[in-house]
Structures are given as C-alpha cells and as structure tokens.
Amino acid sequence: QVWLAESGGGLVQPGGSMRLSCGYSGNIFVINSMAWYRQAPGKERDLVATITSDGAATYVNFVKGRFTISRDNAKKMMYLQMDSLKPEDTALYYCYAKAYTGLTSDYWGQGIQVTVSS
C-alpha cells in the first residue's frame, strides 16, 4: 500500500503563486512516474504535469511556462510550483503515483483545494 498526502493549497489572488507538496509513504520498492491532476467543479479530472523517477517533466499546454513540477526522492516528496495563477486554475488538485510494491499500481492522494480569486 502507498499513501499520498497533498498540502499547501488554499486561496490566492489572480497573478499570485502557490506551491503544492505531496508526500508519499508505504512499503514501496520503486516509485515510477508521478503526476499532478486537477478537477474543477462539474468537470473531469485532467492531467496537469508529470515527472519521471529521474526528473524528466512534461506539462499540459494550459500550464506551460507557469507551473513547475519537481520531486525529491530522498525526502519522498513531489512539488508543484504554480505561478501567474488564473481563476480558471481553481480546482481540486490531486497527487498521483505509479508505484511498484510487488505489484505495479496507481495511487492517488485525497486532493487539495486551490482557489484563485480576488
């Protein structure tokens, strides 16, 4: 079993910045890819950014140049630095990991609210 826990959300004004963190724990042999997803009210959960075990990152177009994903394997943490935030970035943000614990499975955090509003 793998546990993921997000932190760092809240309310921020348009144009502001916020950093989300995701800590993971459990009987993990290998964490392969990790990612951030988000889900706005009434919409499907969308991929935001991914990062491989060696730090290679990819972003969806609507966050390119504004968001930065990173991870610290020694600290068992993943981060999402969000700059130039827009009201349309308001959503529940979820941490995701594909981990090998004897079996390879997908794991999700419970989600954390980010609200961009003046």
Side-chain angles (χ1 to χ4, degrees), residues 21 25-26 28 36-37 39 43 48 51 54 56 66 72 78 86 98-99 101 111 115:
S21 300
S25 61
I28 305 166
W36 289 97
Y37 285 74
Q39 187 168 18
K43 296 189 177 181
V48 174
I51 188 165
D54 59 1
R66 300 190 298 124
D72 186 330
M78 179 178 66
K86 306 174 181 180
K98 183 177 289 293
T101 62
T115 301

Side-chain angles (χ1 to χ4, degrees), residues 60-101:
V60 295
N61 285 338
F62 54 78
V63 304
K64 276 183 180 177
R66 300 190 298 124
F67 291 10
T68 303
I69 189 172
S70 61
R71 61 191 282 183
D72 186 330
N73 295 332
K75 294 182 178 179
K76 298 183 180 180
M77 296 291 294
M78 179 178 66
Y79 306 98
L80 185 68
Q81 176 67 39
M82 304 184 291
D83 299 317
S84 303
L85 281 161
K86 306 174 181 180
E88 51 264 43
D89 293 318
T90 295
L92 266 174
Y93 282 72
Y94 293 91
C95 174
Y96 162 87
K98 183 177 289 293
Y100 178 70
T101 62

Side-chain angles (χ1 to χ4, degrees), residues 39-61:
Q39 187 168 18
K43 296 189 177 181
E44 294 185 351
R45 191 174 298 186
D46 292 325
L47 176 66
V48 174
T50 67
I51 188 165
T52 64
S53 57
D54 59 1
T58 62
Y59 302 90
V60 295
N61 285 338

